[in-house]
Amino acid sequence: MTLIDAAETVRRRAYAPYSGFLVGAAIRGAGGGVHLGCNVENAAFPEGTCAEAGAIAAMVAAGERAIAEVAVIADAAEPVPPCGGCRQKLAEFAGPDVPVTLATTAGARRRTTVGDLLPGGFSARFLGG
Ligand code: THU
């Protein structure tokens, strides 16, 4: 099963009754584990969480802290890029060269990297004065 196939499997479990927009994310950790997440919305709209955030939480809960590869899929006209917050969340655990595949259920693909998605991002190296 490809990482996109894994993301599509979890996309179908998304809880998105408000937007109707189901998103799935799959992360391959540097240790080889595959970690899945889907968006989980809430009646209090700002409390909803993105698919990428769920996959990152699953990765950390499984004991992995380095992202090797990311896949995100949605039923959209073109591949959906991660939101700004999720770009920052991905960059916490992924170097700039980590590949990200964005996909649609219709079969479109866009290959990018964490560095291309978040150039000039804030990171831990700025902390500590
Ligand atoms: N969403 C994600 O889960 N990931 C993205 O990359 C973009 C947006 C979710 C958030 C919300 O539940 C729905 O898609 C519509 O914005």
Side-chain angles (χ1 to χ4, degrees), residues 12-93:
R12 294 171 192 220
R13 299 183 204 134
Y15 177 72
Y18 306 106
S19 72
F21 192 72
L22 283 63
V23 185
I27 289 173
R28 190 184 313 283
V34 173
H35 311 285
L36 307 180
C38 55
N39 52 330
V40 180
E41 297 184 347
N42 194 282
F45 293 171
E47 299 304 326
T49 51
C50 286
E52 296 90 332
I56 290 167
M59 179 190 77
V60 173
E64 288 212 72
R65 294 198 173 173
I67 295 175
E69 191 179 351
V70 182
V72 182
I73 189 165
D75 181 4
E78 59 184 295
V80 171
C83 77
C86 285
R87 295 174 194 217
Q88 183 71 31
K89 289 181 176 76
L90 290 168
E92 181 73 16
F93 300 102

